[in-house]
Amino acid sequence: MMSDPVDPYIFSSDTLPSDPRFLPPLANGRLGWRVFGTIMHMGGIYNGERGACHRADIPCPLAVKMRMEEEGTHSYTLDTHTGIFTHSILTSRVQASQLFYAHRQYPNLLVMEVFLQRQKTTEEPITVTLESSFTPYSDDITFQDAPDYKGGRHIFGQTKSPEVPGGLSTSMHLIWTPLTTSVTLLPDQSQSRWGFLVAAAESSESVQACFDTGLELFEHGDLQTSHLRAWAELWLGSRVELAGPLPLSRAVIGCMFYLLSAFPSLTEAPSLFGGVSPGGLSNGGQGQDYWGHVFWDQDTWIYPSIALFYPKLARAVLDYRVRTIEGAKANAEQQGYKGLKFPWESAVSGQEVCPDDIYGQQEIHINGDVILAFQQYLYLTQNMLERAGTEKFFKKVLGHCVHMLVCPSGVMPPDEYYYNVDNSVYTNSVAKNSLQFAVELAALLQHPAPPEWQEVADKLKIPFDEELKYHPEFDGYRKGSPVKQADAVMLGYPLGLSMSLEVRRNDLEWYETVTDPHGPAMTWGMFAVGWLELSEAQKAQQLLDKCFENIQGPFQVWSESSDGSGAVNFLTGMGGFLQAFLFGYTGFRVQKDCLHFAPLIPDEMAVLSVKGVNYLSNKLDLLVEKQEVSLAVRKQAEDSGSEEPCPLEIVLESSGKIIPLIPGQQNNHLTK
């Protein structure tokens, strides 16, 4: 489908970014590292109490740069097909390649391989220097030496301060292949390869088992191969490709790659997953990139694009929230509420770790954001009710959510320029949706909902200006006041609030002019989705083009703000950008009884292909061309572990519907 001879999945340069923050991050849902950096992070490993809690810095033994005395041509390549970053030096005598990857199948392993290959026959040795900046020290973990293990260095320690006062500190073990200062290609060798492993885990037994696995894989030549297989499996499950401008293609692919890198492998137990923070696992140390905490960014901005393709990875997000219920209960008690209060900033316990109290106290829309993620999952899969722990979640969350969702006074909306406001339009709308979903789900669980749930939902005020025909952000908002980020424009999508086309247009036009151009990157994706709802593809593309100011070359690393400041690698912005494609240009809307689609692409995009949408255990492939739309339904692969697909019917109207046909039941959805 790609007409450009350049592979958009490969990001290459002959120089590295001048700002090391934009070096490519490598992650696998468990470990994260920025290439050449001295620090890595591990999911669920934090240091610091309460608001001082942050991802614990773990020293990375792969902080190594390859040097040669002989002048050569350097190249730096991130191959998103494979998740491998390569630094190559080419001289007249040799090609030296240094490969890094966070192992996709065995997520406790980081790997460096060095490969030397002669370019011409000579009888002299060729030596390449490996310059290390690694020191086995951390400000967050008190390390001490353990006996070497199978030729590997072993250190272990504990984080210095637990997240919760009186809690236990977390243990950390590292085993790595000792680094040599150089590698040499002997006179009788035309090529040779060296492998260096890092294994990280929370116990001695686990880290030794992981190191054993790495050694065995390398010995049998399957270390890199198994990594490649795992990435191939991921890409087989999802493809978002387009025929159009190369920067646009690269942006889409880069976003999908980095989002997938933040999630566990398809074979890993989801209980080990520590959630997704705005900067991913490669970032989040003390004082930077939101300290590695988990926000609504995970549930609202990052999750929807993953859930559309990978039910198992989506479940990992939901399981993370289920595991933190006790912390949410403690938050509610501390703030004087019954029920649960999900933290604005979360780490391991689910207790609030936001350094600034006002956000943790007033951004109560987080409860509705979490519930919306569960709602999307149920509508996409219909199998949530069979999962252990899910009924417990809904009894505890939905059974007590009224106490948090009926408090429209004194809140902070998503637009964080304002606080202590009444009747935030987004907060109230997501609360209304949550309560209505609670009523619906209570019936499915055969636990009749208290009548006040629907009564409260009906009474919640959704601010609306009858004269100007638009939604003010909150009571007292003055039209034209500055806005930090997407807020009221999210009422149409993802919240699905019913409104006329005139009102939708007014919301988009009036908020666009006052939104901070240096605000968080995800905002323009929501504007693009809105304009696509109004069938204005060119206007949508113009706004989406604003995102390119946040993409830092050459490795497609996003900054939070367009001037390069803020969090990096800003997965939240990538999530908003991807949603413009997956829910904007396709028009997909995940609803209770069907999956809507209404494709529309701009002039500069000749073809949009979205493959692998997972709906009720069926795989859907959508191809959008200028004059034609085609959608294919195929069964899951036999070894995917999925349930038997539900028969689907596709209805092509001015907008499409994908409707599940339940055997033995009458289909009542085909009326116009």
Side-chain angles (χ1 to χ4, degrees):
M1 187 184 72
M2 301 295 174
S3 58
D4 197 302
V6 178
D7 188 341
Y9 283 81
I10 297 177
F11 310 148
S12 294
S13 175
D14 55 5
T15 60
L16 292 174
S18 57
D19 188 336
R21 296 185 308 141
F22 302 127
L23 287 167
L26 299 176
N28 57 19
R30 182 75 60 78
L31 297 177
W33 174 61
R34 190 185 302 152
V35 298
F36 301 127
T38 59
I39 297 299
M40 64 180 184
H41 298 115
M42 185 171 181
I45 306 295
Y46 291 86
N47 183 51
E49 185 178 301
R50 300 287 192 192
C53 172
H54 58 277
R55 287 204 188 281
D57 286 349
I58 302 169
C60 184
L62 300 186
V64 176
K65 291 186 177 179
M66 188 171 61
R67 310 283 189 193
M68 293 185 65
E69 292 185 5
E70 184 180 358
E71 288 293 327
T73 301
H74 291 254
S75 65
Y76 304 91
T77 300
L78 176 64
D79 186 341
T80 64
H81 290 291
T82 63
I84 294 178
F85 176 81
T86 302
H87 169 212
S88 289
I89 305 175
L90 179 63
T91 73
S92 60
R93 296 189 305 148
V94 69
Q95 177 166 332
S97 299
Q98 180 185 26
L99 288 72
F100 296 109
Y101 50 98
H103 205 287
R104 185 69 251 189
Q105 184 175 347
Y106 300 99
N108 292 76
L109 295 177
L110 288 183
V111 182
M112 178 179 74
E113 297 182 34
V114 178
F115 180 67
L116 302 185
Q117 184 174 27
R118 289 185 188 273
Q119 296 300 292
K120 62 183 180 181
T121 302
T122 63
E123 294 185 357
E124 58 184 2
I126 300 175
T127 297
V128 173
T129 299
L130 301 179
E131 186 178 282
S132 171
S133 53
F134 165 69
T135 57
Y137 172 81
S138 168
D139 287 332
D140 297 315
I141 302 171
T142 304
F143 280 112
Q144 55 185 304
D145 291 330
D148 288 356
Y149 180 75
K150 294 187 177 179
R153 287 284 314 281
H154 184 183
I155 60 175
F156 70 99
Q158 288 187 319
T159 53
K160 295 180 179 180
S161 178
E163 173 188 333
V164 179
L168 297 176
S169 294
T170 305
S171 296
M172 184 74 240
H173 287 254
L174 276 184
I175 299 179
W176 70 94
T177 309
L179 291 165
T180 59
T181 57
S182 64
V183 292
T184 299
L185 193 61
L186 300 176
D188 59 346
Q189 293 178 312
S190 61
Q191 62 183 35
S192 190
R193 183 182 299 270
W194 295 261
F196 301 88
L197 299 174
V198 177
E202 295 180 48
S203 71
S204 180
E205 295 78 9
S206 294
V207 76
Q208 289 176 3
C210 294
F211 193 69
D212 287 343
T213 297
L215 291 176
E216 183 177 353
L217 289 169
F218 188 76
E219 181 181 352
H220 293 90
D222 199 32
L223 183 63
Q224 187 180 136
T225 305
S226 57
H227 169 79
L228 299 180
R229 283 197 302 264
W231 263 112
E233 182 182 11
L234 273 176
W235 283 124
L236 185 64
S238 67
R239 289 277 175 165
V240 185
E241 298 178 328
L242 58 94
L246 183 60
L248 190 59
S249 296
R250 281 180 168 157
V252 171
I253 290 166
C255 288
M256 200 69 196
F257 169 75
Y258 286 124
L259 259 62
L260 285 173
S261 297
F263 282 82
S265 72
L266 293 172
T267 58
E268 184 182 359
S271 62
L272 300 173
F273 183 57
V276 184
S277 55
L281 275 171
S282 300
N283 304 293
Q286 187 168 14
Q288 47 97 17
D289 303 310
Y290 296 110
W291 295 19
H293 296 164
V294 177
F295 293 71
W296 76 313
D297 304 48
Q298 170 189 257
D299 310 271
T300 301
W301 297 100
I302 296 165
Y303 169 88
S305 297
I306 296 299
L308 201 61
F309 297 105
Y310 302 98
K312 183 170 183 179
L313 301 186
R315 285 201 303 269
V317 169
L318 308 187
D319 288 342
Y320 170 80
R321 292 300 187 184
V322 171
R323 290 198 310 276
T324 59
I325 282 179
E326 292 306 314
K329 181 179 179 181
N331 297 332
E333 291 174 351
Q334 291 167 8
Q335 295 188 28
Y337 296 110
K338 297 179 181 179
L340 307 173
K341 165 62 170 67
F342 281 101
W344 180 240
E345 299 188 29
S346 179
V348 175
S349 72
Q351 294 192 37
E352 185 64 67
V353 292
C354 182
D356 300 303
D357 290 343
I358 191 169
Y359 297 97
Q361 292 170 356
Q362 294 197 9
E363 295 222 41
I364 65 171
H365 63 82
I366 181 66
N367 268 28
D369 302 325
V370 171
I371 291 171
L372 182 60
F374 274 82
Q375 182 180 8
Q376 291 170 330
Y377 182 80
L378 176 63
Y379 291 171
L380 280 168
T381 67
Q382 294 295 328
N383 67 4
M384 179 182 358
L385 305 184
E386 300 175 9
R387 285 189 53 76
T390 304
E391 186 168 340
K392 169 187 172 184
F393 177 89
F394 280 103
K395 283 181 181 179
K396 298 189 74 170
V397 176
L398 297 182
H400 299 283
C401 65
V402 174
H403 300 289
M404 286 305 303
L405 297 173
V406 300
C407 302
S409 300
V411 304
M412 180 181 288
D415 178 8
E416 294 171 335
Y417 282 169
Y418 305 95
Y419 59 92
N420 205 32
V421 305
D422 296 342
N423 289 310
S424 155
V425 71
Y426 177 90
T427 304
N428 285 14
S429 295
V430 78
K432 185 182 185 77
N433 176 78
S434 298
L435 290 166
Q436 291 171 333
F437 178 55
V439 172
E440 170 194 330
L441 197 59
L444 289 175
L445 292 171
Q446 298 182 342
H447 297 293
E452 60 264 26
W453 289 9
Q454 188 62 55
E455 292 171 4
V456 171
D458 293 338
K459 291 178 181 178
L460 275 172
K461 179 182 178 181
I462 308 300
F464 182 69
D465 189 314
E466 291 285 355
E467 181 180 350
L468 297 178
K469 301 295 183 186
Y470 89 112
H471 291 96
E473 276 194 356
F474 49 84
D475 285 352
Y477 174 82
R478 291 185 298 176
K479 180 176 173 288
S481 298
V483 168
K484 178 184 178 183
Q485 62 189 63
D487 188 310
V489 297
M490 298 174 69
L491 300 180
Y493 173 86
L495 298 188
L497 184 69
S498 178
M499 68 185 77
S500 69
L501 296 180
E502 176 190 10
V503 171
R504 185 69 161 131
R505 179 180 293 274
N506 288 342
D507 285 350
L508 292 166
E509 288 182 340
W510 293 349
Y511 284 111
E512 178 188 338
T513 60
V514 296
T515 297
D516 188 342
H518 299 297
M522 68 280 192
T523 290
W524 303 115
M526 290 301 101
F527 276 97
V529 172
W531 285 111
L532 288 161
E533 288 180 343
L534 298 175
S535 301
E536 297 201 23
Q538 294 305 125
K539 175 66 173 176
Q541 189 59 48
Q542 290 170 13
L543 290 175
L544 203 61
D545 285 345
K546 292 176 179 285
C547 293
F548 283 88
E549 298 179 15
N550 298 75
I551 303 175
Q552 309 297 330
F555 302 113
Q556 303 293 308
V557 175
W558 282 55
S559 59
E560 182 176 10
S561 300
S562 57
D563 61 1
S565 64
V568 297
N569 177 44
F570 195 50
L571 300 178
T572 311
M574 299 184 202
F577 187 80
L578 268 183
Q579 287 188 58
F581 284 84
L582 296 176
F583 299 93
Y585 291 123
T586 66
F588 279 133
R589 291 295 181 274
V590 181
Q591 299 188 348
K592 177 182 178 181
D593 298 318
C594 65
L595 180 65
H596 277 272
F597 63 100
L600 180 69
I601 57 177
D603 293 340
E604 55 265 45
M605 196 185 302
V607 180
L608 174 64
S609 174
V610 178
K611 297 181 179 180
V613 171
N614 199 310
Y615 182 55
L616 302 182
S617 297
N618 297 269
K619 285 287 191 179
L620 309 177
D621 299 336
L622 179 69
L623 185 68
V624 185
E625 300 181 79
K626 289 301 180 184
Q627 305 299 325
E628 184 177 345
V629 175
S630 61
L631 192 145
V633 180
R634 52 190 167 90
K635 290 185 177 182
Q636 293 273 33
E638 291 183 2
D639 60 352
S640 67
S642 300
E643 300 173 0
E644 185 68 22
C646 175
L648 298 178
E649 180 163 330
I650 300 170
V651 181
L652 285 172
E653 302 171 349
S654 56
S655 64
K657 286 183 181 179
I658 304 165
I659 301 171
L661 301 181
I662 309 301
Q665 296 185 14
Q666 183 177 357
N667 187 340
N668 297 317
H669 304 300
L670 301 183
T671 57
K672 292 188 180 181

